[in-house]
């Protein structure tokens, strides 16, 4: 039936009948059990966004590169994507990670950084929190928005 399932703990030969838990609860691959949250921060607290060598600075309600004002919506869209950044998967077999894009998010209260590596297939890029493991897989849309902001500034 769908209200009970048999379970066994790793390293234990005993099998248990668990009631109220369906098989679908446990029938997942390893990535589905892992926390996919990469980065989270308060979007409104950000004072500066640095992408490679380009610095986007917040002055009042506007965003600027050097003295030139940048379209507010474009910067906020990138920050919004990064403020609740989640992985599509995990890249376990990456021996060498070469960052192509380096992003820093800076406020008076925090500083976060991510590094984006090469595209892995038709829609996923490698990404890691600066200097840390693991290496995640993220949707190309995020990378395209970051590159778009660089191009438009």
């Amino acid at each position: 039936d769908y209200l009970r399932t048999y379970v066994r703990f790793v390293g234990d030969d005993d099998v248990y009948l668990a009631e109220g838990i369906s098989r679908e609860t446990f029938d997942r691959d390893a990535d589905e059990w892992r926390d996919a949250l990469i980065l989270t921060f308060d979007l409104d607290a950000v004072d500066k966004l640095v992408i490679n060598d380009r610095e986007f600075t917040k002055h009042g309600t506007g965003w600027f590169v050097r003295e030139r004002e940048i379209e507010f919506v474009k910067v906020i869209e990138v920050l919004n994507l990064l403020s609740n950044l989640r992985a599509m998967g995990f890249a376990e077999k990456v021996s060498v990670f070469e960052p192509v894009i380096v992003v820093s998010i800076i406020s008076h209260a925090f500083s976060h950084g991510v590094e984006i590596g090469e595209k892995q297939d038709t829609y996923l890029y490698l990404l890691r929190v600066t200097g840390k493991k693991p290496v995640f897989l993220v949707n190309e849309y995020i990378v395209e928005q970051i590159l778009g902001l660089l191009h438009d500034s």
Side-chain angles (χ1 to χ4, degrees):
D1 66 57
Y2 294 101
L3 298 176
R4 298 181 293 183
T5 191
Y6 290 97
V7 296
R8 183 179 60 82
F9 296 103
V10 174
D12 187 354
D13 291 335
D14 293 333
V15 177
Y16 303 92
L17 180 61
E19 292 190 37
I21 302 173
S22 69
R23 178 185 172 124
E24 288 77 31
T25 303
F26 301 106
D27 198 14
R28 303 178 184 187
D29 66 25
D31 282 356
E32 291 180 275
W33 289 101
R34 296 174 74 177
D35 185 2
L37 183 63
I38 301 169
L39 188 63
T40 184
F41 58 86
D42 179 8
L43 178 69
D44 296 326
V46 177
D47 300 316
K48 188 184 296 186
L49 172 67
V50 182
I51 304 172
N52 290 342
D53 61 349
R54 187 96 27 94
E55 205 170 280
F56 301 83
T57 307
K58 185 177 175 183
H59 295 291
T61 59
W63 283 91
F64 295 82
V65 171
R66 295 182 193 88
E67 305 301 317
R68 190 167 53 87
E69 189 166 10
I70 302 299
E71 193 174 334
F72 177 83
V73 172
K74 292 183 180 185
V75 177
I76 293 303
E77 184 173 86
V78 168
L79 287 173
N80 193 40
L81 289 168
L82 294 172
S83 71
N84 191 29
L85 185 59
R86 294 187 175 277
M88 300 288 294
F90 301 85
E92 298 297 335
K93 296 178 178 136
V94 176
S95 56
V96 177
F97 183 92
E98 295 290 334
V100 176
I101 303 168
V102 177
V103 179
S104 299
I105 303 107
I106 303 163
S107 91
H108 63 281
F110 59 80
S111 178
H112 298 293
V114 295
E115 300 168 339
I116 301 168
E118 296 291 330
K119 193 171 191 177
Q120 292 303 290
D121 63 18
T122 55
Y123 70 96
L124 295 173
Y125 278 83
L126 295 174
L127 180 142
R128 72 176 178 194
V129 174
T130 302
K132 294 186 179 181
K133 290 185 179 181
V135 176
F136 302 97
L137 296 169
V138 295
N139 191 292
E140 71 178 339
Y141 178 78
I142 295 164
V143 179
E144 287 171 354
Q145 295 309 305
I146 293 169
L147 291 173
L149 179 58
L150 271 179
H151 180 266
D152 293 346
S153 58

